[in-house]
């Protein structure tokens, strides 16, 4: 394993080096939080694909393939569909807003009265997303170094917190590009063909497995529908995704770069399912489907290649973890703390170093994420809670604000509150992993949004005029950016 260890150590050292380089570049709030809004199409595509394809998409996607066959691709496939929908229909407008958070968008659309409560919901979502990604380090480092769970979480989490705190979005962008290349080589170009060959090829896989393993709908229609609700719609409104849209240098970059990334996700989804299906042929009685990825890597790949593929898995986890971490810290600082601080310190005229402040919040949130990850065991439940809250509480007011002029601040606040409470109550009643909470929570949020909006005074005309100007790319505050763009 010495060669594999060397590959991993070099990879981790490179991540820290890029964090240091990013620190030298991130000199303003815009540079630190959204990479100066200067990313060109190729860098934008790579980083967007990296953040949405995390440990759940890689390790979990292979596990679903092991359990259900080719239809196990649906979870990651719906993530790709969501990214395609966001890029084609909404990303250009989102990029033109020139904001930093989803809650800022809601404040602009509804007149400054929806940000705090939506910020709390979004913060809870990004926090749990970061936690679930951090927990995944335990699986990978256990395979690599046979170390206990707590040490693995601390080691992986500390590296992500370090480079994210140092350089903010610039560091995360650079590391995500490396992680995108490593994942492409490790999973698509190496593990996929090797797994199929080791399983005897597709003809042997079909001969040894039940026919339902090759049924594209074998996982079940209700499960697919739930994936669409949670992951496809979740891609449309998550702060971690929007913050990447804000990095695009133009609305054209956001649209076409995101479309390329979404298409890549569809290919990655199918690859994970095929790898899992091949693992089922080779190891028909694994104790856990989620162990399929680690098992096939550990037992079937040659030295050096094994290290690269494990680095690919580590890259998948780190990209999602760092993206969720900076999103969590951005929301905590800009949507929650800044509002509370504005009330407390109003009139004092004190200067605030925004880069330093955001850096401090990343460090604080990073430590909190590591502590929670150590204490929490069930990754699936934590991720389900996060997405249920996000979709049930925020989908309707966000899409309503973008698509329905008659939506009001009162309707948005009611939708967030009722949808969030309904989801939590229904999870307590039906169970965290049940489908009903997100179904009924989303319906309750939609009904309340429409009824309250129609029953209250329309949004002030001046607010709507300012909103339309921002959607058209006018009236935004100038960013603290240099004129050059990153075009790679």
């Amino acid at each position: 394993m010495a060669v594999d260890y060397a590959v991993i150590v070099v990879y981790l050292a490179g991540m820290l080096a890029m964090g240091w380089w990013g620190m030298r570049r991130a000199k303003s709030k815009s540079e630190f939080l959204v990479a100066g809004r200067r990313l060109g199409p190729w860098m934008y595509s790579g980083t967007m694909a990296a953040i949405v394809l995390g440990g759940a998409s890689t390790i979990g996607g292979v596990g679903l393939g092991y359990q259900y066959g080719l239809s196990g691709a649906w979870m990651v496939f719906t993530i790709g569909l969501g990214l395609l929908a966001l890029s084609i229909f909404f990303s250009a407008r989102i990029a033109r807003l020139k904001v930093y958070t989803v809650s800022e968008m809601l404040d602009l659309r509804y007149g400054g009265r929806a940000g705090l409560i939506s910020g709390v919901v979004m913060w809870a979502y990004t926090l749990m997303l970061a936690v679930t990604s951090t927990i995944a380090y335990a699986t990978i480092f256990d395979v690599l170094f046979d170390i206990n769970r707590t040490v693995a979480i601390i080691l992986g989490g500390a590296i992500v917190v370090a480079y994210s705190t140092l350089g903010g979005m610039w560091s995360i962008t650079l590391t995500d590009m490396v992680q995108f290349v490593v994942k492409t080589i490790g999973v698509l170009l190496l593990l996929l063909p090797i797994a199929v060959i080791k399983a005897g090829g597709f003809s042997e896989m079909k001969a040894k497995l039940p026919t339902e393993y090759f049924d594209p709908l074998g996982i079940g229609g209700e499960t697919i529908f739930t994936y669409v609700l949670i992951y496809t719609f979740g891609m449309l409104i998550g702060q971690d995704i929007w913050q990447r849209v804000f990095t695009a240098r133009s609305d054209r970059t956001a649209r076409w770069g995101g479309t390329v990334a979404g298409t890549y996700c569809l290919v990655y989804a199918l690859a994970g399912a095929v790898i899992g299906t091949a693992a089922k042929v080779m190891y028909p009685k694994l104790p856990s489907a989620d162990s399929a990825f680690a098992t096939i890597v550990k037992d079937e790949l040659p030295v050096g290649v094994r290290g690269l593929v494990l680095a690919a898995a580590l890259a998948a986890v780190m990209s999602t973890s760092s993206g969720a971490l900076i999103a969590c810290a951005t929301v905590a600082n800009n949507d929650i703390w800044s509002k509370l601080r504005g009330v407390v310190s109003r009139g004092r005229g004190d200067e605030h170093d925004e880069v330093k402040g955001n850096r401090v919040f990343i460090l604080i949130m990073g430590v909190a994420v590591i502590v929670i990850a150590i204490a929490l065991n069930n990754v699936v439940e934590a991720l389900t809670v996060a997405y249920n809250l996000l979709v049930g509480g925020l989908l309707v007011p966000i899409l309503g604000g973008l698509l329905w002029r008659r939506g009001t601040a009162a309707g948005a606040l009611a939708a967030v509150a009722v949808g969030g409470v309904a989801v939590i109550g229904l999870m307590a009643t039906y169970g965290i992993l049940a489908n009903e909470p997100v179904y009924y929570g989303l319906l309750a949020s939609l009904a309340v949004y429409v009824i309250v909006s129609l029953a209250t005074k329309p949004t002030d005309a001046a607010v709507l005029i300012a909103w339309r100007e921002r959607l058209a790319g006018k009236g935004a505050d100038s960013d603290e950016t240099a004129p050059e763009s990153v075009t790679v």
Side-chain angles (χ1 to χ4, degrees):
M1 292 286 288
V3 175
D4 297 323
Y5 291 161
V7 172
I8 299 298
V9 169
V10 169
Y11 168 76
L12 294 176
M15 297 300 99
L16 292 175
M18 289 183 183
W20 182 262
W21 188 91
M23 181 180 68
R24 296 165 59 87
R25 182 152 191 160
K27 301 297 185 182
S28 68
K29 178 181 178 180
S30 176
E31 295 280 356
F32 192 81
L33 294 182
V34 291
R37 308 187 196 276
R38 299 209 304 258
L39 298 191
W42 293 112
M43 184 170 280
Y44 178 86
S45 298
T47 57
M48 182 62 87
I51 188 176
V52 300
L53 296 174
S57 300
T58 303
I59 299 171
V62 171
L64 287 171
Y66 182 89
Q67 188 173 0
Y68 298 104
L70 298 185
S71 67
W74 272 106
M75 183 187 78
V76 183
F77 201 83
T78 55
I79 290 173
L81 292 178
L83 186 52
L84 285 172
L86 173 71
S87 302
I88 295 170
F89 299 112
F90 300 107
S91 63
R93 283 182 283 179
I94 293 170
R96 287 195 293 265
L97 289 174
K98 302 295 183 186
V99 295
Y100 293 100
T101 68
V102 175
S103 296
E104 285 183 54
M105 167 263 172
L106 292 173
D107 275 346
L108 280 171
R109 169 60 181 82
Y110 295 111
R113 291 179 289 168
L116 183 58
I117 185 172
S118 64
V120 171
V121 175
M122 188 64 76
W123 172 79
Y125 156 73
T126 53
L127 179 70
M128 295 311 297
L129 184 61
V131 166
T132 56
S133 301
T134 303
I135 291 173
Y137 295 128
T139 301
I140 299 170
F141 280 106
D142 177 57
V143 174
L144 284 172
F145 306 116
D146 194 25
I147 56 181
N148 72 57
R149 179 179 184 274
T150 299
V151 175
I153 289 173
I154 293 173
L155 177 59
I159 293 170
V160 169
V161 172
Y163 73 69
S164 300
T165 302
L166 287 172
M169 186 59 82
W170 267 123
S171 295
I172 293 171
T173 296
L174 293 170
T175 54
D176 276 359
M177 277 305 297
V178 174
Q179 289 157 359
F180 170 73
V181 172
V182 170
K183 280 191 289 191
T184 301
I185 296 172
V187 175
L188 297 185
L189 301 184
L190 292 176
L191 183 57
L192 175 61
I194 290 173
V196 173
I197 292 170
K198 291 283 187 177
F202 285 104
S203 59
E204 188 71 13
M205 290 163 61
K206 286 185 176 181
K208 289 188 176 181
L209 293 174
T211 55
E212 55 263 29
Y213 264 73
F214 302 92
D215 181 356
L217 302 179
I219 199 170
E222 184 178 356
T223 298
I224 295 171
F225 180 68
T226 302
Y227 284 159
V228 170
L229 276 186
I230 293 178
Y231 297 114
T232 301
F233 286 122
M235 287 295 105
L236 299 180
I237 59 176
Q239 170 66 26
D240 52 323
I241 309 302
W242 277 41
Q243 199 156 343
R244 293 310 173 97
V245 176
F246 300 150
T247 66
R249 73 180 183 192
S250 67
D251 53 5
R252 181 179 175 85
T253 296
R255 182 184 294 113
W256 292 110
T259 300
V260 171
T263 304
Y264 179 91
C265 291
L266 303 183
V267 175
Y268 200 88
L270 184 59
V274 171
I275 293 168
T277 305
K280 184 68 175 180
V281 173
M282 291 182 279
Y283 310 99
K285 295 183 179 180
L286 288 177
S288 168
D290 284 341
S291 65
F293 180 89
T295 302
I296 195 171
V297 170
K298 192 172 184 179
D299 293 349
E300 302 297 336
L301 299 187
V303 172
V305 173
R306 179 172 50 201
L308 183 59
V309 173
L310 286 173
L314 193 58
V317 175
M318 293 181 104
S319 57
T320 300
S321 180
S322 58
L325 177 59
I326 194 172
C328 177
T330 302
V331 171
N333 188 18
N334 290 269
D335 294 334
I336 300 174
W337 173 244
S338 65
K339 287 182 170 59
L340 299 175
R341 185 177 180 275
V343 172
V344 173
S345 62
R346 185 177 297 158
R348 294 183 184 178
D350 55 337
E351 294 294 326
H352 182 52
D353 183 342
E354 292 195 78
V355 172
K356 181 179 179 181
N358 282 292
R359 186 172 279 135
V360 168
F361 265 86
I362 290 179
L363 181 59
I364 293 172
M365 292 297 107
V367 172
V369 164
I370 291 172
V371 171
I372 296 170
I374 292 171
L376 197 64
N377 286 316
N378 197 314
V379 179
V380 176
E381 288 190 0
L383 193 62
T384 301
V385 169
Y387 272 100
N388 281 354
L389 279 173
L390 177 71
V391 174
L394 291 180
L395 177 67
V396 169
I398 291 172
L399 293 188
L402 289 169
L403 300 174
W404 191 38
R405 180 178 178 180
R406 187 61 180 81
T408 66
L413 288 170
V416 173
V418 171
V421 171
V423 164
I424 293 171
L426 289 167
M427 283 191 293
T429 302
Y430 288 97
I432 290 176
L433 299 180
N435 294 328
E436 287 82 359
V438 71
Y439 294 169
Y440 300 144
L442 191 56
L443 288 174
S445 179
L446 177 61
V448 168
Y449 179 72
V450 172
I451 292 170
V452 174
S453 292
L454 292 176
T456 53
K457 184 179 178 181
T459 304
D460 185 86
V463 171
L464 290 178
I465 290 173
W467 165 251
R468 286 195 294 271
E469 288 180 349
R470 290 293 285 268
L471 282 178
K474 304 174 184 177
D477 294 334
S478 59
D479 280 340
E480 307 150 325
T481 58
E484 73 271 11
S485 297
V486 176
T487 58
V488 293

